[in-house]
Amino acid sequence: MTRDRRNWFEGWRLLAVLTLVLTALSVWIAGMRGFEVDGIRMVIRFTARSSLLFFCLAFAASALALLWPTSGTRWLRRNRRYLGLTFAASHAVHAVAIICFAVMAPADYAAATTPASYIFGGIGYAFIIAMAVTSFDRSAAAIGPRAWRILHTTGIYYLWFQFMVSFGMRIPQMPNYVWFLMPLLAVMGLRIAAAVLKRRRARVAVPAN
């Protein structure tokens, strides 16, 4: 249908443009503080929030298209893979900024991290890498649909939980961080609502004996 006609800003172009914008903004933010530690920490905060945005868009894309089928929500669902890869690119810049922070201010970095953050953060990055690598048709086919579904389902829910913990643990010192939990709770609510709708439709579709 005409309303679902693909436009220029989709697919790999979407990923390339968003990744370039995120990278340019990160360099600009760091440059505003002369690429000193304060600027690097600002990049860490910026990329944490940009990652949250693209994660939520990818997480909610299918649910939104099911619950409110419009050209916009279908666009989201059609580009869910590329939004997910943009999330991975944002978190890659986030990782680079963290490494720079660790090198430039090792004492501050040590004070800001714990063994738990290494463990759970490492698991999160392992999922991000595995999910990004298997977001291509050939690699997805290589592991098979069942393994792909298990990996991506487990990974996306783990990352949702990790975002909840990462932002939530900052609320006692910075109450405004509660606002970052709102989109996470909203997208989980959308997923649950979509699952309930699917079950209802499946029951209706089953013919009575």
Side-chain angles (χ1 to χ4, degrees):
M1 297 176 67
T2 303
R3 61 181 177 179
D4 286 336
R5 182 178 298 167
R6 292 177 180 270
N7 57 52
W8 184 90
F9 198 51
E10 294 201 37
W12 296 110
R13 292 191 186 97
L14 172 67
L15 172 62
V17 170
L18 291 176
T19 300
L20 286 173
V21 169
L22 285 170
T23 304
L25 285 173
S26 296
V27 173
W28 177 68
I29 289 168
M32 286 195 304
R33 297 298 180 91
F35 297 98
E36 298 293 336
V37 173
D38 285 347
I40 298 301
R41 298 189 76 162
M42 289 173 64
V43 172
I44 292 172
R45 289 191 291 270
F46 165 70
T47 49
R49 295 165 190 181
S50 62
S51 293
L52 173 65
L53 170 63
F54 290 110
F55 172 83
C56 286
L57 289 174
F59 190 76
S62 293
L64 284 168
L66 180 65
L67 295 167
W68 294 285
T70 67
S71 59
T73 57
R74 283 189 286 266
W75 182 92
L76 277 177
R77 183 178 59 186
R78 208 162 53 238
N79 290 281
R80 179 180 54 180
R81 173 195 301 189
Y82 308 101
L83 293 169
L85 287 170
T86 303
F87 157 69
S90 174
H91 236 51
V93 178
H94 184 71
V96 171
I98 290 174
I99 293 169
C100 291
F101 176 44
V103 171
M104 296 169 67
D108 292 340
Y109 174 76
T113 55
T114 64
S117 66
Y118 282 108
I119 294 170
F120 293 107
I123 294 171
Y125 268 104
F127 271 123
I128 291 170
I129 293 168
M131 292 166 70
V133 168
T134 56
S135 290
F136 301 90
D137 293 338
R138 287 188 179 181
S139 55
I143 66 171
R146 185 172 182 274
W148 186 93
R149 185 167 55 254
I150 292 171
L151 169 63
H152 283 253
T153 301
T154 305
I156 201 163
Y157 282 104
Y158 178 87
L159 292 169
W160 179 88
F161 177 76
Q162 189 176 25
F163 270 119
M164 287 290 295
V165 172
S166 296
F167 285 110
M169 66 188 299
R170 289 169 171 78
I171 292 175
Q173 291 77 32
M174 293 173 281
N176 285 338
Y177 266 74
V178 71
W179 296 109
F180 293 110
L181 301 186
M182 296 300 121
L184 289 165
L185 294 172
V187 294
M188 181 59 77
L190 288 170
R191 297 273 292 209
I192 293 170
V196 170
L197 179 60
K198 280 183 180 179
R199 287 185 181 181
R200 287 179 178 174
R201 288 181 176 177
R203 288 174 184 173
V204 171
V206 175
N209 292 328

